Amino acid sequence: MPRLPANERSLAPFRAEIDAIDAAIVELLARRFEVVKHVIAVKKVEGLAAFLPERVEDVIAKVSAHAETQGVPPELVEKLWRQLIEWVIAYENERLG
């Protein structure tokens, strides 16, 4: 492993913590994705569309409010979730036909 310059060594523990948090986020995304697969199956049976605007706005409102209580900028969370939801809707559309 290459030796870090002195001015970066002090960042190493924080970078390791960020890496661990990133891994945990990916694990949570994997769990969410598994649920999405079940949602697709139900939507197929029920004839529901991938894009349900009311649900999207409900999810955004919930995560934004939760972010605020956690000291996370709600604008950041809204932007991330809109991107995530957009991807999931496209994924669902591909599978719903």
Side-chain angles (χ1 to χ4, degrees), residues 33 37 40 44 87 89-97:
F33 189 66
K37 292 176 185 176
I40 292 168
K44 275 185 180 178
W87 188 93
I89 289 169
Y91 181 84
E92 287 183 8
N93 273 327
E94 287 176 11
R95 273 123 196 99
L96 292 173

Side-chain angles (χ1 to χ4, degrees), residues 3 24 62 91:
R3 189 162 165 84
K62 284 178 185 174
Y91 181 84

Side-chain angles (χ1 to χ4, degrees), residues 17-28:
E17 188 171 0
I18 286 172
D19 290 347
I21 292 166
D22 288 347
I25 290 169
V26 171
E27 290 169 15
L28 289 170

